[in-house]
Amino acid sequence: MFSVRLEKSLSLSIHLARNYQHHFVTVEHLLLALMDDEEIVACLSEMGADITRARQHLDLYLQDPNNQLGRVGSNILSMSSQEVEHAEDFK
């Protein structure tokens, strides 16, 4: 069983995929849906994510994923350079 919050986010991600006229729900749809959850937004913000910018980039990506992938890529949450360096240690 999923929590009520998770069910809401999953349902919203399906709704978003339909609104973008996509045949599949992707992690980008789910991430955008999760950004409607106050606790998720608070957590991401504490980690330095620019939520407004992330939403804008996700929207651009979902409107035309082939055109925007290179510009959005893995920087979607605007991680700090220290966080990126730390993440690169695990490659």
Side-chain angles (χ1 to χ4, degrees):
M1 268 186 120
F2 295 124
S3 71
V4 172
R5 287 178 43 225
L6 180 56
E7 283 187 29
K8 180 180 174 188
S9 293
L10 290 172
S11 178
L12 180 55
S13 66
I14 293 167
H15 177 74
L16 288 168
R18 287 182 181 149
N19 282 350
Y20 285 103
Q21 299 179 353
H22 296 161
H23 299 287
F24 302 99
V25 176
T26 65
V27 294
E28 292 83 8
H29 298 109
L30 181 57
L31 180 57
L32 192 55
L34 287 170
M35 288 185 189
D36 274 6
D37 184 308
E38 291 178 14
E39 286 185 42
I40 300 293
V41 168
C43 180
L44 292 173
S45 294
E46 276 185 36
M47 293 173 27
D50 182 338
I51 301 301
T52 302
R53 183 170 178 244
R55 282 186 176 132
Q56 291 170 343
H57 282 228
L58 281 166
D59 180 56
L60 284 173
Y61 176 79
L62 290 168
Q63 286 180 47
D64 188 2
N66 293 324
N67 235 0
Q68 298 298 324
L69 183 58
R71 292 195 317 174
V72 177
S74 61
N75 296 345
I76 198 73
L77 294 177
S78 303
M79 296 171 67
S80 72
S81 59
Q82 290 175 337
E83 291 168 321
V84 171
E85 288 173 13
H86 181 69
E88 288 178 352
D89 291 340
F90 293 97
K91 286 184 178 178

